[in-house]
Amino acid sequence: MRLFSRQEYSTDYQELKFALHKKLIHRVNLEALSALPEQQMRLEIRQAVERLVDEEETPLSLADRDRVSTEVLDEVFGLGPLEPLLEDHSISDILVTTPKLVYVERAGRLYRTPVEFKDDAHLIRIIEKIVSRVGRRIDESSPMVDARLPDGSRVNAVIPPVAVDGPVLSIRRFGRTPLSANDLVRNLTLTEDMLKVLHACVTARLNIIVPGGTGAGKTTLLNALSTFIPDEERIVTIEDAAELQLQQIHVARMEARPPNLEGAGAIKIRNLVINALRMRPDRIIVGEVRGEEALDMMQAMNTGHDGSLTTIHCNSPRDSISRLEVMMGMANSSMSVQSIRQQISSAIDLFVHVSRFSDGTRHITHITECVGMERDVVTSQDIFLFERSGVTSDGRVVGRFRATGIRPKCYEKLRTAGFQFPSEIFQSIVELH
């Protein structure tokens, strides 16, 4: 990882770097160079930067010359001070709180970095570079934006007047290769028995919702579950900012669009869910339901689109039912609570709740089956649980994965799809030490 000391981000150093950048733009015809192959273009610009460094009165060592040349190239081709952080694949989040305060998350823990931006204008320029690549905009009339990097990483940016202390940038990183289901077993996110049951549930076309909090790993788990979808099925994905990394070939991807400068032209997740029904999907995967689209998603699950998957922000499977009720009520205020709950109970087969713990680890805490209605209440039963028992002296969370002993109501459907499990699988206990 290419990180430098805080002294190397001093005001004098930043001034030198930006002076060189400004001279480079005035001296080199970047538009003409863009016609060259990328490798040759980088070589030409590096040579131009080195000539500019030679002209500087400030004495620089060979290491400093190389460093400043690299950073000017990062400003031209990349995302400036963020480039060294983006090169480090152990970093899961990059959090720019102010231009002078940049944190990263590694293995579930936050660390402050020596990386700094010159000022607010510098940070805003980097944000504009990110959002313009995906056809988004950010300005005083639209000071918040969701976007993505070419590798699928999720980006959220907020600028003044909404951001009080200067621009705020958050980047949620995704690995070059998505974590597989077996990787999640190795990471102790779930057990092999739990994975076998989830594999069967996805293949047998059960409708599954993945609830969890922020940063719990919902999208990672959704990606892993999607690998069990057979290659011959047509999948339609719908997201606010495209970040799912499905491995199948037959995938039609759609992304919501914010309003234009006149405040018109917005395409919401709900519009895309409705449109997806006309695209002959075998499966519909929504990155996250967070509004009125919940009603259309439940109706799609109830009208022949079995095997659909989505995520939702909440603290437990029971809370996710309450959230779905609220969101469906937003879409159609004339629907009675009884009708909404009937839609939910008949649409959803399984909740797979994932949580992030204090030591940065992530575990599936509930695999819960939705079993129907009793009077006016949606009923459910837990099939697997993670029970936390304490924390070690070094801060590690310990506990156990426990099967509740309940054979799921959907077991007959799994058996019809060709899956049979010994009774012991629903009585297993795995301790985490």
Side-chain angles (χ1 to χ4, degrees), residues 4-243:
F4 314 127
S5 68
R6 202 168 298 280
Q7 288 76 18
E8 290 166 340
Y9 283 90
S10 65
T11 303
D12 290 343
Y13 179 78
Q14 294 280 24
E15 292 294 343
L16 171 62
K17 188 174 68 175
F18 278 90
L20 290 172
H21 187 198
K22 196 171 182 180
K23 288 179 183 178
L24 179 71
I25 291 171
H26 284 297
R27 187 173 298 190
V28 177
N29 187 343
L30 294 176
E31 190 173 340
L33 284 176
S34 64
L36 298 174
E38 184 177 346
Q39 192 171 359
Q40 187 179 347
M41 179 171 60
R42 282 180 175 272
L43 180 62
E44 294 279 350
I45 291 179
R46 179 175 279 278
Q47 290 172 347
V49 171
E50 288 172 352
R51 286 194 295 271
L52 289 171
V53 170
D54 288 337
E55 295 171 9
E56 285 296 316
E57 296 178 0
T58 308
L60 294 172
S61 67
L62 286 175
D64 289 335
R65 286 162 58 90
D66 185 63
R67 182 170 61 251
V68 75
S69 298
T70 300
E71 289 196 21
V72 172
L73 282 172
D74 287 343
E75 292 289 338
V76 175
F77 292 105
L79 301 180
L82 296 179
E83 283 298 317
L85 304 178
L86 293 169
E87 289 170 10
D88 185 348
H89 299 291
S90 68
I91 291 174
S92 56
D93 285 274
I94 300 171
L95 308 171
V96 184
T97 307
T98 70
K100 304 297 183 184
L101 196 62
V102 180
Y103 285 83
V104 298
E105 181 184 287
R106 186 184 285 109
R109 301 288 181 90
L110 284 177
Y111 302 92
R112 185 177 178 181
T113 74
V115 172
E116 292 181 358
F117 292 82
K118 181 174 183 286
D119 50 27
D120 286 2
H122 182 201
L123 178 51
I124 289 175
R125 189 167 73 246
I126 297 300
I127 291 171
E128 288 173 343
K129 186 181 282 192
I130 293 171
V131 302
S132 64
R133 289 175 177 174
V134 290
R136 303 287 172 96
R137 65 183 179 85
I138 189 165
D139 51 41
E140 284 193 9
S141 63
S142 179
M144 299 183 294
V145 69
D146 284 314
R148 67 180 186 276
L149 297 178
D151 66 357
S153 297
R154 183 192 310 165
V155 178
N156 176 269
V158 185
I159 65 171
V162 173
V164 177
D165 298 319
V168 179
L169 176 66
S170 307
I171 300 177
R172 173 69 52 82
R173 302 289 309 286
F174 292 98
R176 287 183 172 179
T177 54
L179 289 176
S180 68
N182 289 326
D183 290 329
L184 297 182
V185 172
R186 282 191 289 272
N187 294 343
L188 300 176
T189 302
L190 74 168
T191 66
E192 288 188 14
D193 286 345
M194 294 164 71
L195 179 61
K196 288 174 185 175
V197 172
L198 290 177
H199 181 184
C201 291
V202 174
T203 307
R205 300 181 65 86
L206 269 60
N207 293 321
I208 299 174
I209 288 188
V210 179
T214 301
K218 298 185 298 297
T219 303
T220 299
L221 180 57
L222 190 64
N223 271 322
L225 294 178
S226 71
T227 61
F228 300 132
I229 298 174
D231 287 334
E232 61 269 16
E233 294 188 14
R234 174 174 169 81
I235 305 169
V236 176
T237 68
I238 299 164
E239 301 171 81
D240 256 337
E243 59 192 20

Side-chain angles (χ1 to χ4, degrees), residues 257-328:
R257 188 178 74 184
N260 59 22
L261 286 168
E262 290 76 35
I267 298 177
K268 297 181 179 179
I269 294 283
R270 187 178 191 187
N271 305 129
L272 297 179
V273 173
I274 294 169
N275 188 73
L277 302 177
R278 307 186 185 107
M279 297 173 66
R280 198 250 170 237
D282 289 309
R283 311 258 188 163
I284 297 174
I285 299 179
V286 178
E288 182 185 338
V289 289
R290 54 166 70 95
E292 298 174 348
E293 66 273 7
L295 175 61
D296 303 286
M297 190 69 184
M298 294 301 105
Q299 290 181 334
M301 290 176 171
N302 277 322
T303 54
H305 297 90
D306 296 332
S308 296
L309 304 165
T310 188
T311 73
I312 185 172
H313 268 282
C314 63
N315 294 324
S316 70
R318 177 53 57 182
D319 284 348
S320 61
I321 294 173
S322 301
R323 274 213 72 200
L324 285 169
E325 289 178 16
V326 171
M327 291 187 289
M328 292 171 70

